[in-house]
Amino acid sequence: EVQLVESGGGLVQPGGSLRLSCAASGFIFSNYHMNWVRQAPGKGLEWVSYITSGSSSIFYADSVRGRFIISRDNAKNSLHLQMNSLTDEDTAVYYCARGGRDHAEGAFDIWGQGTMVTVSS
Amino acid sequence: SYVLTQPPSVSVAPGKTARISCGETNIGSKVVHWYQQKPGQAPVLVIYYDTDRPSGIPERFSGSNSGKTASLTISRVEAGDEADYYCQVWDSSRDHLHWVFGGGTKLTVL
């Protein structure tokens, strides 16, 4: 079964850091571009970051650039998001999502169940 | 920045057709994907590359994209179609390439 499972969410104080992970299974992880998408409580979807299959290109949303770092380990079929300098505006459910194989504009066809990040003192 | 405009809500009676729009000045030149999200669940891809349906998505779901508007059409609407729907576009027009989601449309089945 093709699956993505996020972990690492939790409660963190403003200014703190958190590292999210996403474990992939059921497909050749190294063939696919990957993404992080978040959803604040009661709000819509917000794309956060993108990494190509071989990590050669990385993009960030303006709202997280300079604070978040996306990475992947193809040998371990895992995707990560290092989140630093967190503010209450980063409070959201964070989803990892599989992107395309050959094209950057490929759809997000597989999503994890999400992990909740709460930034609060 | 690139902004995709969706109506906040659409209501439709069972068995009728629902149309959800996604607007932007030049969206017809972009690739558009659509997602369905039910409460407490992760989004599910329902239309990709403007018009294609993933396996497992009913034929009742269709998409179009031209000019200033992309649309998701759901025919013979069922109670189970009630959900939030989001359009998505890859914006390569700026130095910082990025994905954009529309604000979402809540589909209510009357």
Side-chain angles (χ1 to χ4, degrees), chain A residues 35 37 39 43-47 49-50 59-62 65 95 103-114, chain B residues 1 31 33 35 37 40-45 47-49 84 86 88 90 94-103:
Chain A
N35 298 269
V37 177
Q39 187 170 35
K43 302 297 185 181
L45 301 175
E46 179 188 15
W47 170 78
S49 185
Y50 162 97
F59 307 126
Y60 297 99
D62 292 344
R65 187 176 298 111
Y95 297 99
H103 303 289
E105 69 270 18
F108 298 1
D109 63 343
I110 303 294
W111 295 64
Q113 85 288 349
Chain B
S1 63
V31 166
H33 310 307
Y35 301 88
Q37 186 182 33
Q41 299 183 19
V44 172
L45 178 68
I47 293 291
Y48 64 102
Y49 283 105
D84 293 326
Y86 296 90
Q88 180 199 32
W90 170 250
R94 305 192 310 167
D95 290 341
H96 298 300
L97 305 175
H98 65 298
W99 285 101
V100 180
F101 286 99

Side-chain angles (χ1 to χ4, degrees), chain B:
Chain B
S1 63
Y2 207 80
V3 177
L4 301 176
T5 302
Q6 296 183 236
S9 62
V10 168
S11 299
V12 62
K16 301 299 185 182
T17 297
R19 291 182 180 85
I20 299 172
S21 62
C22 177
E24 205 284 335
T25 302
N26 198 27
I27 198 170
S29 67
K30 305 286 187 182
V31 166
V32 180
H33 310 307
W34 290 91
Y35 301 88
Q36 174 194 70
Q37 186 182 33
K38 296 181 179 180
Q41 299 183 19
V44 172
L45 178 68
V46 293
I47 293 291
Y48 64 102
Y49 283 105
D50 296 344
T51 60
D52 293 341
R53 266 180 299 102
S55 60
I57 301 300
E59 293 183 5
R60 301 184 296 104
F61 287 78
S62 63
S64 64
N65 184 18
S66 179
K68 299 180 181 180
T69 306
S71 296
L72 172 68
T73 300
I74 309 172
S75 305
R76 302 182 299 283
V77 167
E78 302 174 356
D81 298 331
E82 189 162 282
D84 293 326
Y85 291 85
Y86 296 90
C87 58
Q88 180 199 32
V89 163
W90 170 250
D91 180 17
S92 58
S93 63
R94 305 192 310 167
D95 290 341
H96 298 300
L97 305 175
H98 65 298
W99 285 101
V100 180
F101 286 99
T105 298
K106 181 175 180 58
L107 176 66
T108 299
V109 181
L110 301 171

